[in-house]
Amino acid sequence: MTKILITAAGSHGDIAPYTGVGARLRAAGHDVALATHDRYATLVRAAGLEFRPLPADPRTHRPDDDTAVRTQPADPGSGRTLMRQAATFIKELGGGLADAAHDDTGLLLLSATTAPLGHHLAEAHGIPYLDLPLVPGAPTGDFAPVVSGGRSLGRWGNRAAGRLSLRIIDRLYADASRDLRARLGLPPATPRTVRRRAEAAGRPVLHGFSEVLVPRPTDWRPGLDVVGNWWPWHAPDAQLPPAVEDFLAAGPPPVFVGFGSMAGGEGERLGTIAAAALRQAKLRGILQSGWSGLSTRHTSSDADLLTIGEVPHALLFPRMAAVVHHCGAGTAAAGVRAGVPTIPVPVTADQPFWAARLTSLGVATTPIPFKELSGDDAVARLSHALTQATTTPTHRTHATTAAHRLTTEDGPGKVLKAVERLTG
């Protein structure tokens, strides 16, 4: 039995998939701890994992557009401010990771946000590690960096932009890495130096997304593998809340609308737009409040609308007519897994990338960028997309086909095999 420490930082979508990985490792006999922010302690413990706290809760450090927890801003106009905010978040994170890595840790599993710091811990303690990112990060000619907006720059341009993206990330982690190495008694080394050592050594990296959405780039080095999604853990006997079941039973399948950890403070405006668009399209709707506070308070008498809190997408999405969301990596994959069409409303960071992937796969309508979901035509645009998603047979057909392909994948199982290779 190996003591495994998983480290993950960010919003719910950055944390929840690792509960599924951890539960699978625990079922195989490993002792697993997950280090993350306090607000996810219940989520971690419910999966049967030991919880270890990390500082720098992104919800108390994020700017208005929630990009502080990302490693590269999508909006170059606000780049300097966001870089400072992200660097502050990361600097706080470094000390917390050192505290979380106890002497008994035999293996580190690192998310994209924690990996540049976790590599120093592995070096200091002489323990093996695996990088487990949820999005593609290595440069490739196949597509531009996932946080660049989703537009291809051509093969040469894509690779150049990918290399630049890595250098920006190195800069973000520079101060935190310097402080952490000093604390651990390691000789000075820049994040770029440490990253290049790992690349030269051919360190394995397992990516927790599906080739259904992103085929493995043809120009990636050996060891960079795409293994399939890691789904958030939920109890085998989990059920939807009675209020949700009652609502589902009261009429035809509704449309899900939610923005996860995005759009803070926009709940009233978004709720008004969503409610009006659903009515115009003659559809029922379930609004998930999320960090935006999305709700139907202003239309509480409308029996065709329901506001909910956090529920497992795996239980809810298959019962929807379609899903409207921000296209975070996990939510995008959950919609595909459910076999239902998507109306993408990407906000920032990697979301335009995943939105474009869903559309190219045929499971989604043309994306509506969040910044365009405003003005006099917002309701009409969303209503039109809702009608397209729920009445165009090809969207449902493509979604069903993609869902069948996802059922053949076992992402956590591949992580388990890699762990067993490393731990003997």
Side-chain angles (χ1 to χ4, degrees), residues 177-417:
S177 294
R178 182 189 63 246
D179 293 349
L180 183 57
R181 290 186 72 84
R183 171 176 171 171
L184 296 171
L186 295 172
T190 66
R192 185 181 185 186
T193 298
V194 175
R195 171 171 59 80
R196 286 188 164 184
R197 286 176 187 166
E199 292 170 355
R203 297 288 314 183
V205 179
L206 306 186
H207 295 82
F209 54 83
S210 172
E211 290 201 76
V212 172
L213 280 173
V214 185
R216 183 186 183 278
T218 54
D219 55 357
W220 271 5
R221 67 166 173 83
L224 300 179
D225 296 321
V226 177
V227 301
N229 285 92
W230 308 315
W231 305 108
W233 180 90
H234 64 81
D237 59 350
Q239 297 181 352
L240 293 172
V244 177
E245 287 287 1
D246 291 344
F247 182 79
L248 292 173
V255 171
F256 169 90
V257 182
F259 294 93
S261 61
M262 297 289 105
E266 295 276 353
E268 183 175 352
R269 182 181 72 83
L270 293 173
T272 300
I273 292 171
L278 288 163
R279 284 196 299 269
Q280 196 171 102
K282 297 180 172 57
L283 294 165
R284 303 197 313 144
I286 292 181
L287 278 61
Q288 188 170 54
S289 55
W291 287 13
S292 70
L294 192 68
S295 76
T296 58
R297 286 190 298 270
H298 53 289
T299 53
S300 58
S301 62
D302 194 333
D304 287 335
L305 293 172
L306 177 70
T307 300
I308 63 172
E310 193 66 44
V311 298
H313 289 164
L315 300 181
L316 184 65
F317 279 13
R319 311 219 9 218
M320 299 295 101
V323 290
V324 181
H325 57 73
H326 60 299
C327 283
T331 312
V336 175
R337 183 192 194 192
V340 297
T342 295
I343 298 94
V345 186
V347 182
T348 187
D350 59 327
Q351 296 156 22
F353 173 84
W354 295 110
R357 289 285 160 170
L358 293 176
T359 301
S360 67
L361 192 60
V363 305
T365 60
T366 300
I368 304 174
F370 179 78
K371 63 184 179 181
E372 297 179 15
L373 196 64
S374 60
D376 296 336
D377 67 338
V379 171
R381 288 193 66 180
L382 183 55
S383 175
H384 176 69
L386 287 166
T387 299
Q388 278 191 316
T390 55
T391 63
T392 305
T394 53
H395 287 316
R396 175 70 67 166
T397 300
H398 286 308
T400 300
T401 300
H404 284 320
R405 291 175 62 191
L406 279 184
T407 62
T408 67
E409 300 177 345
D410 181 13
K414 291 186 177 180
V415 175
L416 175 59
K417 289 181 181 179

